[in-house]
Amino acid sequence: MPTPLVPPPPSTLRIFGALLRRDIHVTKRELPYFLVRTTLQPLLFIVVFGYLLPRMGFVGHGYGAALLPGIIAVSLTLSSVQSVALPMVQDFGYTHEIEDRLLAPVPMRMIAFEKIVMGVFQGLIAAAVVLPMSRLIMGPIAALGGAHIASVLLITILGAAAFSNLGLLMGTGINPQQIGLMFSVVLAPMIFFGCAYYPWQGLQAVPVMKYAVLVNPLVYVAEGMRGALTPALPHMSLLAVCGALIALIALFWTLGIRSFERRALT
């Protein structure tokens, strides 16, 4: 009697693609809620600080050129962190959905990496929505240039990757009952002291603050966006920004994957 043929197990790449397609399907289904959650606050800041205050004469019209890159960095931060951290908190806490994913015949790190890829993808979506909408609200910005699209894309991907890895660390390190602390204790100070609403060079007036904020990853994304979108204005060196973001990606991934594996094994 011939031995029945056993189909070969699916490859790691195929399983990774299946997990990614599932998350993309969920993102498409919840896209309106995702956009409201991640772009509403940055757009409200654009309306107040980029449209109303300049027309009232409380800030100069040139302030918009410094504000726009920071607003894009904020939307990128919120979308990337939340898209990884919130599902992790739910999966490990209430729904235990992570147990189904851990049964997939792929290395445990591949499951965490797929979440990072989704975080980068959602960060790109948020940035692609906020940039044109902000430009429409604020009107013409003389210093805004479109000649460095490659630099904009590079900073966006590196920034989204850094904050997605930070989301992995936060989502696996915070208990569901304490998720509110993530917004009030971590994200809020990060946004206000992340040079999103003012250029880093402007902190020369407060030298201690100028160097203290360098521990904030948002500083590098905001300054990188300024260097790519408004290169004529003062900004950090793009080489230094890219180096810092790559170092932060490595640091957050190392800490995040340890936290993920510890939670998964317990």
Side-chain angles (χ1 to χ4, degrees):
M1 183 177 180
T3 305
L5 294 176
V6 178
S11 65
T12 299
L13 187 61
R14 185 175 178 183
I15 297 173
F16 180 84
L19 293 172
L20 198 59
R21 284 195 299 275
R22 179 196 177 279
D23 282 343
I24 290 175
H25 176 73
V26 173
T27 300
K28 287 170 60 179
R29 190 180 60 190
E30 299 179 350
L31 187 60
Y33 308 104
F34 161 74
L35 291 177
V36 169
R37 187 178 68 238
T38 58
T39 65
L40 181 60
Q41 181 181 340
L43 290 176
L44 289 177
F45 271 100
I46 282 289
V47 171
V48 175
F49 292 98
Y51 181 78
L52 293 178
L53 293 186
R55 281 157 180 76
M56 293 177 184
F58 287 105
V59 298
H61 286 280
Y63 179 58
L67 178 65
L68 179 61
I71 290 297
I72 298 171
V74 170
S75 64
L76 186 69
T77 298
L78 292 175
S79 59
S80 298
V81 167
Q82 293 182 14
S83 63
V84 178
L86 295 182
M88 282 291 172
V89 169
Q90 294 173 354
D91 291 354
F92 278 110
Y94 302 115
T95 65
H96 295 286
E97 187 178 325
I98 195 68
E99 295 176 2
D100 295 337
R101 289 177 175 265
L102 291 174
L103 292 175
V106 292
M108 192 182 300
R109 294 190 171 203
M110 190 64 74
I111 296 173
F113 181 69
E114 186 271 337
K115 290 291 186 184
I116 299 298
V117 172
M118 276 305 302
V120 173
F121 178 64
Q122 295 189 26
L124 291 174
I125 293 176
V129 171
V130 170
L131 177 57
M133 291 186 68
S134 301
R135 169 63 180 78
L136 287 174
I137 294 171
M138 297 172 70
I141 300 174
L144 183 63
H148 300 87
I149 297 299
S151 297
V152 174
L153 187 60
L154 176 62
I155 297 298
T156 303
I157 292 175
L158 289 178
F163 283 106
S164 296
N165 280 285
L166 178 60
L168 176 68
L169 175 61
M170 296 171 69
T172 54
I174 297 177
N175 292 323
Q177 297 84 356
Q178 300 169 339
I179 189 62
L181 292 177
M182 184 179 78
F183 296 96
S184 58
V185 177
V186 180
L187 289 183
M190 182 185 295
I191 290 173
F192 282 103
F193 295 107
C195 296
Y197 307 123
Y198 45 84
W200 181 68
Q201 296 290 348
L203 288 177
Q204 282 184 330
V206 190
V208 174
M209 183 66 74
K210 180 179 180 181
Y211 295 102
V213 299
L214 291 178
V215 299
N216 188 341
L218 179 57
V219 171
Y220 303 101
V221 182
E223 286 294 306
M225 285 294 178
R226 287 194 179 95
L229 288 172
T230 55
L233 300 182
H235 58 81
M236 277 187 186
S237 160
L238 285 180
L239 188 62
V241 167
C242 292
L245 288 175
I246 292 172
L248 288 171
I249 292 170
L251 175 64
F252 291 150
W253 168 256
T254 301
L255 297 177
I257 197 62
R258 286 180 184 173
S259 180
F260 178 85
E261 290 176 337
R262 184 171 59 251
R263 289 291 298 272
L265 294 175
T266 55

